[in-house]
PDB file of all heavy atoms in Angstrom:
ATOM      1  N   GLY A1065      30.869  -2.221  31.485  1.00 90.00           N
ATOM      2  CA  GLY A1065      30.602  -2.386  32.916  1.00 90.00           C
ATOM      3  C   GLY A1065      30.918  -1.151  33.726  1.00 90.00           C
ATOM      4  O   GLY A1065      30.258  -0.879  34.741  1.00 90.00           O
ATOM      5  N   GLN A1066      31.934  -0.370  33.308  1.00 90.00           N
ATOM      6  CA  GLN A1066      32.318   0.841  34.027  1.00 90.00           C
ATOM      7  C   GLN A1066      31.690   2.111  33.438  1.00 90.00           C
ATOM      8  O   GLN A1066      31.908   3.213  33.950  1.00 90.00           O
ATOM      9  CB  GLN A1066      33.845   1.014  33.996  1.00 90.00           C
ATOM     10  CG  GLN A1066      34.635  -0.080  34.731  1.00 90.00           C
ATOM     11  CD  GLN A1066      34.794  -1.320  33.882  1.00 90.00           C
ATOM     12  OE1 GLN A1066      34.984  -1.226  32.676  1.00 90.00           O
ATOM     13  NE2 GLN A1066      34.706  -2.487  34.513  1.00 90.00           N
ATOM     14  N   ALA A1067      30.936   1.934  32.380  1.00 91.00           N
ATOM     15  CA  ALA A1067      30.384   3.102  31.689  1.00 91.00           C
ATOM     16  C   ALA A1067      29.231   3.736  32.466  1.00 91.00           C
ATOM     17  O   ALA A1067      28.437   3.054  33.099  1.00 91.00           O
ATOM     18  CB  ALA A1067      29.890   2.699  30.293  1.00 91.00           C
ATOM     19  N   LYS A1068      29.157   5.072  32.408  1.00 93.00           N
ATOM     20  CA  LYS A1068      28.037   5.787  32.992  1.00 93.00           C
ATOM     21  C   LYS A1068      26.811   5.579  32.099  1.00 93.00           C
ATOM     22  O   LYS A1068      26.934   5.186  30.941  1.00 93.00           O
ATOM     23  CB  LYS A1068      28.352   7.283  33.072  1.00 93.00           C
ATOM     24  CG  LYS A1068      29.533   7.619  33.975  1.00 93.00           C
ATOM     25  CD  LYS A1068      29.822   9.126  33.926  1.00 93.00           C
ATOM     26  CE  LYS A1068      31.041   9.475  34.768  1.00 93.00           C
ATOM     27  NZ  LYS A1068      31.361  10.931  34.696  1.00 93.00           N
ATOM     28  N   GLN A1069      25.645   5.865  32.642  1.00 95.00           N
ATOM     29  CA  GLN A1069      24.425   5.668  31.875  1.00 95.00           C
ATOM     30  C   GLN A1069      24.429   6.495  30.597  1.00 95.00           C
ATOM     31  O   GLN A1069      23.940   6.056  29.551  1.00 95.00           O
ATOM     32  CB  GLN A1069      23.197   6.040  32.710  1.00 95.00           C
ATOM     33  CG  GLN A1069      21.868   5.670  32.062  1.00 95.00           C
ATOM     34  CD  GLN A1069      21.771   4.184  31.757  1.00 95.00           C
ATOM     35  OE1 GLN A1069      22.059   3.341  32.609  1.00 95.00           O
ATOM     36  NE2 GLN A1069      21.383   3.850  30.523  1.00 95.00           N
ATOM     37  N   GLU A1070      25.018   7.682  30.671  1.00 95.00           N
ATOM     38  CA  GLU A1070      25.098   8.545  29.485  1.00 95.00           C
ATOM     39  C   GLU A1070      25.876   7.860  28.372  1.00 95.00           C
ATOM     40  O   GLU A1070      25.479   7.896  27.199  1.00 95.00           O
ATOM     41  CB  GLU A1070      25.759   9.874  29.852  1.00 95.00           C
ATOM     42  CG  GLU A1070      25.871  10.848  28.683  1.00 95.00           C
ATOM     43  CD  GLU A1070      26.589  12.138  29.052  1.00 95.00           C
ATOM     44  OE1 GLU A1070      26.894  12.329  30.250  1.00 95.00           O
ATOM     45  OE2 GLU A1070      26.844  12.946  28.138  1.00 95.00           O
ATOM     46  N   ASP A1071      27.008   7.234  28.736  1.00 93.00           N
ATOM     47  CA  ASP A1071      27.816   6.538  27.742  1.00 93.00           C
ATOM     48  C   ASP A1071      27.119   5.276  27.242  1.00 93.00           C
ATOM     49  O   ASP A1071      27.225   4.919  26.063  1.00 93.00           O
ATOM     50  CB  ASP A1071      29.188   6.177  28.334  1.00 93.00           C
ATOM     51  CG  ASP A1071      30.050   7.406  28.575  1.00 93.00           C
ATOM     52  OD1 ASP A1071      29.975   8.340  27.759  1.00 93.00           O
ATOM     53  OD2 ASP A1071      30.778   7.436  29.586  1.00 93.00           O
ATOM     54  N   LYS A1072      26.391   4.605  28.128  1.00 94.00           N
ATOM     55  CA  LYS A1072      25.635   3.420  27.710  1.00 94.00           C
ATOM     56  C   LYS A1072      24.572   3.800  26.688  1.00 94.00           C
ATOM     57  O   LYS A1072      24.347   3.080  25.712  1.00 94.00           O
ATOM     58  CB  LYS A1072      24.985   2.750  28.930  1.00 94.00           C
ATOM     59  CG  LYS A1072      25.969   2.045  29.854  1.00 94.00           C
ATOM     60  CD  LYS A1072      25.252   1.385  31.023  1.00 94.00           C
ATOM     61  CE  LYS A1072      26.247   0.683  31.939  1.00 94.00           C
ATOM     62  NZ  LYS A1072      25.562   0.046  33.105  1.00 94.00           N
ATOM     63  N   ASN A1073      23.931   4.934  26.923  1.00 95.00           N
ATOM     64  CA  ASN A1073      22.916   5.405  25.973  1.00 95.00           C
ATOM     65  C   ASN A1073      23.536   5.713  24.611  1.00 95.00           C
ATOM     66  O   ASN A1073      22.949   5.439  23.560  1.00 95.00           O
ATOM     67  CB  ASN A1073      22.220   6.656  26.513  1.00 95.00           C
ATOM     68  CG  ASN A1073      21.337   6.356  27.714  1.00 95.00           C
ATOM     69  OD1 ASN A1073      20.935   5.216  27.930  1.00 95.00           O
ATOM     70  ND2 ASN A1073      21.054   7.380  28.507  1.00 95.00           N
ATOM     71  N   LYS A1074      24.736   6.285  24.643  1.00 95.00           N
ATOM     72  CA  LYS A1074      25.442   6.582  23.391  1.00 95.00           C
ATOM     73  C   LYS A1074      25.789   5.288  22.661  1.00 95.00           C
ATOM     74  O   LYS A1074      25.732   5.225  21.426  1.00 95.00           O
ATOM     75  CB  LYS A1074      26.711   7.388  23.665  1.00 95.00           C
ATOM     76  CG  LYS A1074      26.451   8.826  24.107  1.00 95.00           C
ATOM     77  CD  LYS A1074      27.758   9.554  24.372  1.00 95.00           C
ATOM     78  CE  LYS A1074      27.521  11.000  24.826  1.00 95.00           C
ATOM     79  NZ  LYS A1074      28.778  11.703  25.111  1.00 95.00           N
ATOM     80  N   LEU A1075      26.169   4.262  23.419  1.00 95.00           N
ATOM     81  CA  LEU A1075      26.501   2.972  22.806  1.00 95.00           C
ATOM     82  C   LEU A1075      25.263   2.322  22.182  1.00 95.00           C
ATOM     83  O   LEU A1075      25.343   1.701  21.121  1.00 95.00           O
ATOM     84  CB  LEU A1075      27.115   2.033  23.849  1.00 95.00           C
ATOM     85  CG  LEU A1075      28.552   2.360  24.269  1.00 95.00           C
ATOM     86  CD1 LEU A1075      28.964   1.507  25.464  1.00 95.00           C
ATOM     87  CD2 LEU A1075      29.514   2.135  23.100  1.00 95.00           C
ATOM     88  N   ILE A1076      24.132   2.469  22.852  1.00 95.00           N
ATOM     89  CA  ILE A1076      22.873   1.937  22.305  1.00 95.00           C
ATOM     90  C   ILE A1076      22.558   2.630  20.978  1.00 95.00           C
ATOM     91  O   ILE A1076      22.225   1.982  19.983  1.00 95.00           O
ATOM     92  CB  ILE A1076      21.715   2.141  23.299  1.00 95.00           C
ATOM     93  CG1 ILE A1076      21.924   1.254  24.528  1.00 95.00           C
ATOM     94  CG2 ILE A1076      20.372   1.825  22.632  1.00 95.00           C
ATOM     95  CD1 ILE A1076      20.937   1.530  25.651  1.00 95.00           C
ATOM     96  N   ASP A1077      22.658   3.960  20.975  1.00 96.00           N
ATOM     97  CA  ASP A1077      22.400   4.726  19.745  1.00 96.00           C
ATOM     98  C   ASP A1077      23.382   4.343  18.648  1.00 96.00           C
ATOM     99  O   ASP A1077      23.001   4.225  17.469  1.00 96.00           O
ATOM    100  CB  ASP A1077      22.510   6.228  20.030  1.00 96.00           C
ATOM    101  CG  ASP A1077      21.385   6.743  20.916  1.00 96.00           C
ATOM    102  OD1 ASP A1077      20.365   6.045  21.033  1.00 96.00           O
ATOM    103  OD2 ASP A1077      21.556   7.833  21.505  1.00 96.00           O
ATOM    104  N   LEU A1078      24.642   4.144  19.029  1.00 96.00           N
ATOM    105  CA  LEU A1078      25.672   3.793  18.053  1.00 96.00           C
ATOM    106  C   LEU A1078      25.407   2.411  17.463  1.00 96.00           C
ATOM    107  O   LEU A1078      25.594   2.192  16.259  1.00 96.00           O
ATOM    108  CB  LEU A1078      27.057   3.843  18.697  1.00 96.00           C
ATOM    109  CG  LEU A1078      28.244   3.478  17.790  1.00 96.00           C
ATOM    110  CD1 LEU A1078      28.267   4.360  16.546  1.00 96.00           C
ATOM    111  CD2 LEU A1078      29.565   3.610  18.564  1.00 96.00           C
ATOM    112  N   PHE A1079      24.961   1.490  18.302  1.00 95.00           N
ATOM    113  CA  PHE A1079      24.658   0.148  17.804  1.00 95.00           C
ATOM    114  C   PHE A1079      23.506   0.187  16.800  1.00 95.00           C
ATOM    115  O   PHE A1079      23.561  -0.450  15.746  1.00 95.00           O
ATOM    116  CB  PHE A1079      24.308  -0.788  18.958  1.00 95.00           C
ATOM    117  CG  PHE A1079      23.943  -2.174  18.510  1.00 95.00           C
ATOM    118  CD1 PHE A1079      24.857  -2.963  17.826  1.00 95.00           C
ATOM    119  CD2 PHE A1079      22.673  -2.679  18.752  1.00 95.00           C
ATOM    120  CE1 PHE A1079      24.527  -4.241  17.396  1.00 95.00           C
ATOM    121  CE2 PHE A1079      22.329  -3.953  18.314  1.00 95.00           C
ATOM    122  CZ  PHE A1079      23.263  -4.748  17.646  1.00 95.00           C
ATOM    123  N   GLU A1080      22.473   0.944  17.119  1.00 94.00           N
ATOM    124  CA  GLU A1080      21.336   1.068  16.205  1.00 94.00           C
ATOM    125  C   GLU A1080      21.763   1.716  14.891  1.00 94.00           C
ATOM    126  O   GLU A1080      21.317   1.319  13.810  1.00 94.00           O
ATOM    127  CB  GLU A1080      20.214   1.878  16.859  1.00 94.00           C
ATOM    128  CG  GLU A1080      19.564   1.149  18.033  1.00 94.00           C
ATOM    129  CD  GLU A1080      18.546   2.000  18.759  1.00 94.00           C
ATOM    130  OE1 GLU A1080      18.466   3.223  18.459  1.00 94.00           O
ATOM    131  OE2 GLU A1080      17.833   1.466  19.626  1.00 94.00           O
ATOM    132  N   HIS A1081      22.640   2.706  14.990  1.00 95.00           N
ATOM    133  CA  HIS A1081      23.180   3.354  13.790  1.00 95.00           C
ATOM    134  C   HIS A1081      23.989   2.355  12.969  1.00 95.00           C
ATOM    135  O   HIS A1081      23.898   2.320  11.731  1.00 95.00           O
ATOM    136  CB  HIS A1081      24.051   4.542  14.187  1.00 95.00           C
ATOM    137  CG  HIS A1081      24.794   5.163  13.044  1.00 95.00           C
ATOM    138  ND1 HIS A1081      24.163   5.752  11.972  1.00 95.00           N
ATOM    139  CD2 HIS A1081      26.145   5.277  12.804  1.00 95.00           C
ATOM    140  CE1 HIS A1081      25.071   6.200  11.114  1.00 95.00           C
ATOM    141  NE2 HIS A1081      26.277   5.916  11.599  1.00 95.00           N
ATOM    142  N   THR A1082      24.767   1.532  13.658  1.00 95.00           N
ATOM    143  CA  THR A1082      25.586   0.512  12.986  1.00 95.00           C
ATOM    144  C   THR A1082      24.695  -0.495  12.269  1.00 95.00           C
ATOM    145  O   THR A1082      24.992  -0.918  11.140  1.00 95.00           O
ATOM    146  CB  THR A1082      26.494  -0.216  13.999  1.00 95.00           C
ATOM    147  OG1 THR A1082      27.294   0.740  14.689  1.00 95.00           O
ATOM    148  CG2 THR A1082      27.411  -1.214  13.297  1.00 95.00           C
TER     149      THR A1082
END
Side-chain angles (χ1 to χ4, degrees):
Q1066 295 81 38
K1068 297 177 183 178
Q1069 189 58 48
E1070 181 183 354
D1071 291 324
K1072 289 181 180 179
N1073 291 339
K1074 289 179 180 179
L1075 286 171
I1076 292 172
D1077 291 342
L1078 179 56
F1079 178 61
E1080 292 175 351
H1081 172 63
T1082 304

